[in-house]
Structure formats: C-alpha cells, structure tokens
Amino acid sequence: MTPAGVALVGYGYAGKTFHAPLIAAATGLRLHAVVSRQGDVVKTDWPEAKIAADLDAALADPEVALVVIAAPNALHAPMARQALEAGRAVVVDKPFTLTVAEARDLAALAEARGLLLSVFHNRRWDADFLTLQTLIAEGRLGRIVRFESHFDRFRPQVRDRWREADTPGAGIWYDLGPHLIDQALVLFGRPLAITADLAILREGGQATDYAHAVLRYDGFRVILHADMTSPAPDLRFSVQGTRAAWIKSGMDIQEDQLKTNGRAGGDGWGRDPRPGMLIDGATGAHVPTDDASGDYLRYYDQIALALGGRAPNPVPPEQAIAVMEVLQAGLLSAQRRAEQPL
C-alpha cells in the first residue's frame, strides 16, 4: 500500500527529536510536509519533505492524510480542530489540550466526522515501563502498596523558551505531568483523588518547575514527582509490593538515541543499559531484571494500521481525556491546597 502522507506541524524539540524520525521510520507513513519557519533546518534533515508556510497550506495539499500537531501546547486544540474540520486524521503531542473541555470537544468532533484522533503518549513504550507492566502482570511484586514515579532533571538556569515562560500550557506539570499520569492510569486506572503541590523553585522562574502529586487509590498510593532542580536525577521508579520491590534508575534511552542519531531504529534501539533491580521482601536478595527493549516506533506503526482500519488507535481520545482530568484536578488541588476528588 502507498504510505500515507503526513504533515508535521512544528519543528521545535518535540517535532525534530521525536515525531519526524519516528514518522519517517514507520511502516505505512511518509513525512510528506513540515510546517515550520525553520525551512533550511528541515531541508537539511529531511530533504524530501515539503516546507509548508502554515497549517492552511498543509491542509490544502491533497497528499496529506494525517496531521501531527507538535506546536506549543496552547495551539494543540485550535490546530487539531482545524485539521479535523478539513477532514484529516490527527495526532496531537501531549498534553492533549489545555483543558478537559477542549479535549472532550475534539473527541466529539473526531467521532462525528469519523476521523482518527490520537495523542502521542510515547512513554507507554519506554523499556522500563514495559518491564514493569510484565512484572506486575506476572505477580512477581505481589499486591502493589506504593508506586513512585520520578521524572527529575537538573536545569537550574531558566531558559528563554515558551515551556518556561509565563504562558498558558507552560511549566513542568503540563510538560512531564502527562507522561507520569498516563503511565499510572495504564497500570492502575482512575484514582479516587489527587493531592498536588506545584511550585516555582528556581530563581527567576516564571512557570512551574516542581510538581509532586499523590494519587489516592483504594488500598495503595501512587506518587508522581518531577522537578528541574535535582543534581542527582537518578531514581525513575520505586515500586513496593507485598512480595518484592522493583527499583529502576536512569531514564529510557530512546530520547538520547534520537537526539544523537536523528533517526529511529537500528542496533541497540531502545535497549536500556541499566536494568532494574528486583528486591525480594523475604530474603533481601537483589536480582537484576531482564528488561524489555523500548520501542516508540510501535506507536506510529500502529497509527498507520489504524488509518487503514487494520488496528485499534494506540491512544484513543478517551484515554487522553482521562489524563487531562487528572492533570486538571491536580491544578485545582494545588490552587486550593487540598485533595481534589476525581
């Protein structure tokens, strides 16, 4: 079958590092056009891709079947709506939108038009997360009593970019919160409530750079943490069960591989050099786990199949809406300094 033409909107960090190489490597898709003011950069990286001046120009191209929105967060909802109204399938980078209302509105529009709408929650295909899913499914940890997930960084200097500006959709809760929340929902489903603490800790900071949230479930707790002020950003997962614990250090390697190579796949793709450690509760024995390989390519491979009706949407709108509900409840909790029910 002829690969579906994709128009990528935005060639900032997300578009350049994640979406362009993954789209180009996916079976059944081709990077047909890029909407960007960095035409020279795009042509150097992807000489066969067209440069579109704006979304209108991309939507006027009959070869575009799928539009991928990797623009700043505040543009996700209006651009996705414009593409859906033009009859195109849409993938939106996380966060889906800025509000739950916007997310539900887009989902209703896509359903009414019979169009594919998906959200790029790529961290479902991290090596460590895939490994953890297997450990839990096999019962090797016992009943989970505490799940702790970190996405910490050391970036003490505030940078001049929209993600760190005083603008709607900026800050670490909108940037990294969706990753942490989505993984928790995949594992455990909807929580009963959330208690969130959001703060600006860096001197001169304008957007949230510290986020700590506790999700309350019946019989266990989920702790989600992200910040920009950790000189030792090593802990990724600490999962405590009634039989054993699993501790994982270091981030998934795929982002670094994409930044280094500019392409997806190849030898060693997604293979984590730092396996997790299983700690037996009865004996205290420490045993490295045989970790899975991560594979973000699976998302876009499945998108290509879903476009042809041959596979389900890898991240359907209702799942992304659930993430937005927790994200928005976290904002309310932080504002009110109180637990927010869900």
Side-chain angles (χ1 to χ4, degrees):
M1 297 181 65
T2 302
V6 179
L8 172 61
V9 183
Y11 203 66
Y13 185 81
K16 177 181 174 68
T17 304
F18 290 98
H19 294 282
L22 293 172
I23 293 165
T27 302
L29 299 178
R30 61 185 174 89
L31 186 60
H32 175 70
V34 178
V35 177
S36 175
R37 290 174 292 182
Q38 304 182 78
D40 292 343
V41 176
V42 174
K43 275 299 181 184
T44 298
D45 294 344
W46 307 101
E48 295 182 1
K50 294 182 178 180
I51 307 300
D54 51 30
L55 180 54
D56 287 333
L59 294 175
D61 188 334
E63 293 190 50
V64 171
L66 171 67
V67 174
V68 175
I69 310 295
N73 295 344
L75 297 176
H76 287 186
M79 285 187 164
R81 166 168 281 280
Q82 184 180 350
L84 290 169
E85 289 177 341
R88 302 313 204 278
V90 174
V91 165
V92 185
D93 194 49
K94 59 77 201 165
F96 187 6
T97 55
L98 297 190
T99 69
V100 173
E102 288 176 334
R104 290 174 178 162
D105 180 62
L106 289 178
L109 176 60
E111 183 176 10
R113 298 293 179 94
L115 294 168
L116 177 75
L117 173 62
S118 187
V119 180
F120 185 64
H121 281 300
N122 60 301
R123 294 288 173 177
R124 296 184 183 191
W125 292 274
D126 279 359
D128 48 22
F129 185 67
L130 294 172
T131 300
L132 178 56
Q133 283 184 292
T134 299
L135 291 173
I136 292 175
E138 293 176 349
R140 296 177 66 183
L141 304 178
R143 181 176 66 85
I144 304 301
V145 293
R146 179 165 58 85
F147 172 88
E148 191 167 343
S149 177
H150 280 250
F151 211 134
D152 303 332
R153 293 166 168 170
F154 186 56
R155 297 178 180 174
Q157 303 302 318
V158 177
R159 297 166 60 187
D160 183 15
R161 59 177 190 155
W162 71 262
R163 293 182 189 276
E164 299 181 50
D166 182 11
T167 187
I172 205 168
W173 187 237
Y174 273 102
D175 186 25
L176 302 180
H179 289 316
L180 298 170
I181 294 167
D182 182 65
Q183 288 183 335
L185 296 189
V186 168
L187 290 175
F188 306 118
R190 186 183 181 87
L192 299 171
I194 181 173
T195 303
D197 181 21
L198 308 178
I200 300 173
L201 300 184
R202 294 177 299 171
E203 185 176 353
Q206 301 180 58
T208 299
D209 55 23
Y210 170 94
H212 187 88
V214 179
L215 306 184
R216 177 164 61 87
Y217 289 85
D218 186 15
F220 66 99
R221 297 293 183 266
V222 167
I223 299 168
L224 308 178
H225 184 93
D227 68 50
M228 308 283 273
T229 54
S230 292
D234 197 52
L235 179 64
R236 179 65 185 95
F237 289 113
S238 173
V239 188
Q240 309 294 326
T242 55
R243 294 182 58 187
W246 189 66
I247 309 296
K248 178 65 178 69
S249 297
M251 295 300 300
D252 182 270
I253 198 173
Q254 292 172 91
E255 182 172 352
D256 284 341
Q257 289 178 319
L258 288 165
K259 285 193 293 186
T260 299
N261 302 324
R263 295 293 186 271
D267 293 341
W269 170 252
R271 188 65 184 173
D272 196 331
R274 302 174 66 183
M277 186 68 66
L278 190 70
I279 304 167
D280 188 276
T283 67
H286 288 52
V287 180
T289 48
D290 183 15
D291 288 10
S293 290
D295 194 2
Y296 297 160
L297 279 167
R298 284 166 55 183
Y299 175 82
Y300 272 115
D301 281 343
Q302 194 162 337
I303 285 291
L305 292 172
L307 282 172
R310 292 170 290 157
N313 185 341
V315 184
E318 57 268 23
Q319 294 179 6
I321 290 171
V323 173
M324 291 303 305
E325 289 172 341
V326 177
L327 189 81
Q328 187 166 293
L331 292 172
L332 288 174
S333 171
Q335 291 167 2
R336 297 170 179 173
R337 298 194 176 278
E339 183 181 74
Q340 181 68 26
L342 282 151

